[in-house]
Amino acid sequence: MNNKEQLQKRIHQTELQLKRLTQNCSGSTICEDLYNSLILQKAILKKQLDDLNKNPVIENIKKLIPRQKKLICDYFE
């Protein structure tokens, strides 16, 4: 099993835990803290999966090309 499949499996398990928690949660602070930590864990796993899907060569090229930053005042000219 490769790293992508492991991450997808962990994301799926986290989603199942979130579903179970919302069904059985009584609104206590412990449930809310656990729910928030699971949401953060899911977001971290998704970010790791996105990073694996990125092509490192293209990302290095994007870093070399300078981008002109837009300022808020540029929209009101």
mmCIF file of all heavy atoms in Angstrom, residues 38-58:
data_model
loop_
_atom_site.group_PDB
_atom_site.id
_atom_site.type_symbol
_atom_site.label_atom_id
_atom_site.label_comp_id
_atom_site.label_asym_id
_atom_site.label_seq_id
_atom_site.Cartn_x
_atom_site.Cartn_y
_atom_site.Cartn_z
ATOM 1 N N LEU A 38 -10.599 16.472 15.345
ATOM 2 C CA LEU A 38 -10.776 15.614 14.176
ATOM 3 C C LEU A 38 -10.856 16.425 12.886
ATOM 4 O O LEU A 38 -10.328 16.010 11.857
ATOM 5 C CB LEU A 38 -12.028 14.745 14.332
ATOM 6 C CG LEU A 38 -11.919 13.579 15.308
ATOM 7 C CD1 LEU A 38 -13.279 12.922 15.505
ATOM 8 C CD2 LEU A 38 -10.899 12.576 14.836
ATOM 9 N N ILE A 39 -11.493 17.581 12.955
ATOM 10 C CA ILE A 39 -11.560 18.451 11.772
ATOM 11 C C ILE A 39 -10.151 18.913 11.379
ATOM 12 O O ILE A 39 -9.791 18.917 10.199
ATOM 13 C CB ILE A 39 -12.468 19.674 12.052
ATOM 14 C CG1 ILE A 39 -13.890 19.213 12.260
ATOM 15 C CG2 ILE A 39 -12.345 20.728 10.974
ATOM 16 C CD1 ILE A 39 -14.818 19.362 11.110
ATOM 17 N N LEU A 40 -9.351 19.299 12.374
ATOM 18 C CA LEU A 40 -7.977 19.714 12.089
ATOM 19 C C LEU A 40 -7.160 18.564 11.524
ATOM 20 O O LEU A 40 -6.383 18.755 10.578
ATOM 21 C CB LEU A 40 -7.315 20.254 13.363
ATOM 22 C CG LEU A 40 -7.766 21.619 13.823
ATOM 23 C CD1 LEU A 40 -7.160 21.938 15.182
ATOM 24 C CD2 LEU A 40 -7.369 22.678 12.815
ATOM 25 N N GLN A 41 -7.330 17.391 12.085
ATOM 26 C CA GLN A 41 -6.596 16.229 11.600
ATOM 27 C C GLN A 41 -6.960 15.928 10.151
ATOM 28 O O GLN A 41 -6.092 15.635 9.325
ATOM 29 C CB GLN A 41 -6.900 15.017 12.480
ATOM 30 C CG GLN A 41 -6.158 13.762 12.071
ATOM 31 C CD GLN A 41 -6.520 12.576 12.945
ATOM 32 O OE1 GLN A 41 -7.399 12.656 13.802
ATOM 33 N NE2 GLN A 41 -5.846 11.471 12.728
ATOM 34 N N LYS A 42 -8.239 16.029 9.820
ATOM 35 C CA LYS A 42 -8.695 15.782 8.452
ATOM 36 C C LYS A 42 -8.107 16.816 7.496
ATOM 37 O O LYS A 42 -7.666 16.477 6.399
ATOM 38 C CB LYS A 42 -10.221 15.811 8.399
ATOM 39 C CG LYS A 42 -10.787 15.548 7.035
ATOM 40 C CD LYS A 42 -12.296 15.614 7.060
ATOM 41 C CE LYS A 42 -12.869 15.628 5.674
ATOM 42 N NZ LYS A 42 -14.318 15.850 5.679
ATOM 43 N N ALA A 43 -8.068 18.071 7.907
ATOM 44 C CA ALA A 43 -7.503 19.125 7.065
ATOM 45 C C ALA A 43 -6.009 18.891 6.832
ATOM 46 O O ALA A 43 -5.505 19.081 5.713
ATOM 47 C CB ALA A 43 -7.734 20.491 7.698
ATOM 48 N N ILE A 44 -5.301 18.467 7.856
ATOM 49 C CA ILE A 44 -3.862 18.190 7.713
ATOM 50 C C ILE A 44 -3.638 17.024 6.761
ATOM 51 O O ILE A 44 -2.750 17.075 5.896
ATOM 52 C CB ILE A 44 -3.244 17.911 9.102
ATOM 53 C CG1 ILE A 44 -3.211 19.194 9.929
ATOM 54 C CG2 ILE A 44 -1.840 17.328 8.969
ATOM 55 C CD1 ILE A 44 -2.878 18.975 11.390
ATOM 56 N N LEU A 45 -4.446 15.992 6.880
ATOM 57 C CA LEU A 45 -4.309 14.835 5.994
ATOM 58 C C LEU A 45 -4.604 15.204 4.544
ATOM 59 O O LEU A 45 -3.911 14.763 3.620
ATOM 60 C CB LEU A 45 -5.233 13.704 6.447
ATOM 61 C CG LEU A 45 -4.873 13.025 7.765
ATOM 62 C CD1 LEU A 45 -5.985 12.076 8.190
ATOM 63 C CD2 LEU A 45 -3.557 12.297 7.658
ATOM 64 N N LYS A 46 -5.629 16.032 4.338
ATOM 65 C CA LYS A 46 -5.950 16.469 2.974
ATOM 66 C C LYS A 46 -4.821 17.310 2.384
ATOM 67 O O LYS A 46 -4.494 17.197 1.200
ATOM 68 C CB LYS A 46 -7.258 17.255 2.951
ATOM 69 C CG LYS A 46 -8.466 16.379 2.993
ATOM 70 C CD LYS A 46 -9.724 17.187 2.753
ATOM 71 C CE LYS A 46 -10.898 16.268 2.597
ATOM 72 N NZ LYS A 46 -12.106 16.987 2.181
ATOM 73 N N LYS A 47 -4.209 18.157 3.199
ATOM 74 C CA LYS A 47 -3.091 18.968 2.732
ATOM 75 C C LYS A 47 -1.902 18.082 2.356
ATOM 76 O O LYS A 47 -1.244 18.315 1.335
ATOM 77 C CB LYS A 47 -2.692 19.977 3.822
ATOM 78 C CG LYS A 47 -1.501 20.826 3.476
ATOM 79 C CD LYS A 47 -1.772 21.731 2.306
ATOM 80 C CE LYS A 47 -0.566 22.622 2.085
ATOM 81 N NZ LYS A 47 -0.511 23.146 0.740
ATOM 82 N N GLN A 48 -1.639 17.051 3.158
ATOM 83 C CA GLN A 48 -0.557 16.126 2.847
ATOM 84 C C GLN A 48 -0.838 15.385 1.542
ATOM 85 O O GLN A 48 0.063 15.189 0.728
ATOM 86 C CB GLN A 48 -0.367 15.123 3.980
ATOM 87 C CG GLN A 48 0.226 15.715 5.228
ATOM 88 C CD GLN A 48 0.274 14.723 6.379
ATOM 89 O OE1 GLN A 48 -0.284 13.638 6.308
ATOM 90 N NE2 GLN A 48 0.938 15.131 7.456
ATOM 91 N N LEU A 49 -2.089 15.007 1.315
ATOM 92 C CA LEU A 49 -2.465 14.328 0.077
ATOM 93 C C LEU A 49 -2.307 15.266 -1.115
ATOM 94 O O LEU A 49 -1.813 14.863 -2.168
ATOM 95 C CB LEU A 49 -3.892 13.812 0.174
ATOM 96 C CG LEU A 49 -4.400 12.976 -0.985
ATOM 97 C CD1 LEU A 49 -3.583 11.702 -1.123
ATOM 98 C CD2 LEU A 49 -5.863 12.639 -0.799
ATOM 99 N N ASP A 50 -2.698 16.520 -0.962
ATOM 100 C CA ASP A 50 -2.517 17.501 -2.036
ATOM 101 C C ASP A 50 -1.044 17.708 -2.350
ATOM 102 O O ASP A 50 -0.664 17.847 -3.514
ATOM 103 C CB ASP A 50 -3.161 18.836 -1.663
ATOM 104 C CG ASP A 50 -4.668 18.786 -1.703
ATOM 105 O OD1 ASP A 50 -5.225 17.838 -2.298
ATOM 106 O OD2 ASP A 50 -5.289 19.694 -1.124
ATOM 107 N N ASP A 51 -0.207 17.746 -1.317
ATOM 108 C CA ASP A 51 1.224 17.924 -1.528
ATOM 109 C C ASP A 51 1.830 16.739 -2.277
ATOM 110 O O ASP A 51 2.752 16.917 -3.078
ATOM 111 C CB ASP A 51 1.951 18.123 -0.199
ATOM 112 C CG ASP A 51 1.641 19.467 0.428
ATOM 113 O OD1 ASP A 51 1.132 20.368 -0.286
ATOM 114 O OD2 ASP A 51 1.902 19.622 1.642
ATOM 115 N N LEU A 52 1.316 15.546 -2.035
ATOM 116 C CA LEU A 52 1.810 14.371 -2.755
ATOM 117 C C LEU A 52 1.405 14.402 -4.224
ATOM 118 O O LEU A 52 2.133 13.907 -5.075
ATOM 119 C CB LEU A 52 1.278 13.088 -2.114
ATOM 120 C CG LEU A 52 1.938 12.635 -0.832
ATOM 121 C CD1 LEU A 52 1.246 11.388 -0.307
ATOM 122 C CD2 LEU A 52 3.402 12.355 -1.040
ATOM 123 N N ASN A 53 0.251 14.984 -4.505
ATOM 124 C CA ASN A 53 -0.242 15.026 -5.873
ATOM 125 C C ASN A 53 0.436 16.104 -6.719
ATOM 126 O O ASN A 53 0.340 16.072 -7.938
ATOM 127 C CB ASN A 53 -1.754 15.245 -5.895
ATOM 128 C CG ASN A 53 -2.502 14.028 -5.409
ATOM 129 O OD1 ASN A 53 -2.032 12.907 -5.533
ATOM 130 N ND2 ASN A 53 -3.670 14.242 -4.844
ATOM 131 N N LYS A 54 1.109 17.044 -6.086
ATOM 132 C CA LYS A 54 1.763 18.116 -6.827
ATOM 133 C C LYS A 54 3.028 17.606 -7.502
ATOM 134 O O LYS A 54 3.739 16.764 -6.968
ATOM 135 C CB LYS A 54 2.127 19.275 -5.894
ATOM 136 C CG LYS A 54 0.939 20.058 -5.424
ATOM 137 C CD LYS A 54 1.372 21.210 -4.570
ATOM 138 C CE LYS A 54 0.176 22.000 -4.088
ATOM 139 N NZ LYS A 54 0.582 23.086 -3.196
ATOM 140 N N ASN A 55 3.295 18.157 -8.667
ATOM 141 C CA ASN A 55 4.505 17.820 -9.404
ATOM 142 C C ASN A 55 5.638 18.715 -8.909
ATOM 143 O O ASN A 55 5.555 19.939 -9.025
ATOM 144 C CB ASN A 55 4.263 18.031 -10.902
ATOM 145 C CG ASN A 55 5.395 17.520 -11.743
ATOM 146 O OD1 ASN A 55 6.471 17.220 -11.241
ATOM 147 N ND2 ASN A 55 5.148 17.412 -13.030
ATOM 148 N N PRO A 56 6.705 18.156 -8.358
ATOM 149 C CA PRO A 56 7.773 18.986 -7.781
ATOM 150 C C PRO A 56 8.494 19.853 -8.812
ATOM 151 O O PRO A 56 8.950 20.949 -8.496
ATOM 152 C CB PRO A 56 8.731 17.981 -7.139
ATOM 153 C CG PRO A 56 8.371 16.660 -7.664
ATOM 154 C CD PRO A 56 6.968 16.735 -8.178
ATOM 155 N N VAL A 57 8.592 19.395 -10.043
ATOM 156 C CA VAL A 57 9.267 20.185 -11.078
ATOM 157 C C VAL A 57 8.476 21.451 -11.375
ATOM 158 O O VAL A 57 9.037 22.555 -11.455
ATOM 159 C CB VAL A 57 9.456 19.333 -12.359
ATOM 160 C CG1 VAL A 57 10.030 20.169 -13.480
ATOM 161 C CG2 VAL A 57 10.325 18.119 -12.073
ATOM 162 N N ILE A 58 7.172 21.311 -11.518
ATOM 163 C CA ILE A 58 6.320 22.473 -11.806
ATOM 164 C C ILE A 58 6.319 23.441 -10.630
ATOM 165 O O ILE A 58 6.342 24.663 -10.824
ATOM 166 C CB ILE A 58 4.892 22.006 -12.152
ATOM 167 C CG1 ILE A 58 4.915 21.247 -13.473
ATOM 168 C CG2 ILE A 58 3.934 23.190 -12.226
ATOM 169 C CD1 ILE A 58 3.599 20.633 -13.868
#
